[in-house]
Amino acid sequence: MKQLVLTIILVLSMLMTSMYADDNKYAQATFPKKTYDFGYIKANDGVVTCEFEFINTGTAPLVIYSADPTCGCTVPDYPKKPIKPDEKGIITINFNPAGYEGGFLKTVKVKTNGREKSTTLSLEGSVIPK
């Protein structure tokens, strides 16, 4: 009987330890910079590109599920493979200024499996018309 109780206690403590260990694993995309300012750009110069670097500061692999822009003039490209803890990644965003005049502010919402489920990246600047 004593051995049975000890075995049950041992099994329960191992289960609780493994559950606790899994709860402590998380991913987190940390962006040092979340806004990019293009300054003045000419509409007839075509598409402009910027990059947002991030690092997975978590303890589990980071998966980017999507990067959703506010409009079709903004096209993001992001890593499709998981980013390991302490590894860096880059999200590249192309902006087409055709048809724009004056100041603009565009955003891209990045959705991940991280503790912070989404992050908003911003592009801003001013378009000089043709």
Side-chain angles (χ1 to χ4, degrees), residues 19-85:
M19 286 173 34
Y20 179 74
D22 288 343
D23 286 345
N24 284 332
K25 290 194 174 200
Y26 65 93
Q28 182 58 50
T30 300
F31 291 85
K33 186 175 175 184
K34 295 181 184 179
T35 300
Y36 187 89
D37 186 353
F38 283 105
Y40 289 95
I41 56 176
K42 295 179 181 177
N44 58 348
D45 283 350
V47 175
V48 292
T49 302
C50 66
E51 294 182 341
F52 289 92
E53 186 175 89
F54 64 91
I55 187 167
N56 178 2
T57 55
T59 57
L62 173 74
V63 177
I64 299 176
Y65 297 129
S66 66
D68 302 318
T70 52
C71 73
C73 63
T74 308
V75 180
D77 184 33
Y78 57 91
K80 307 304 188 269
K81 293 181 180 179
I83 307 296
K84 295 177 184 176

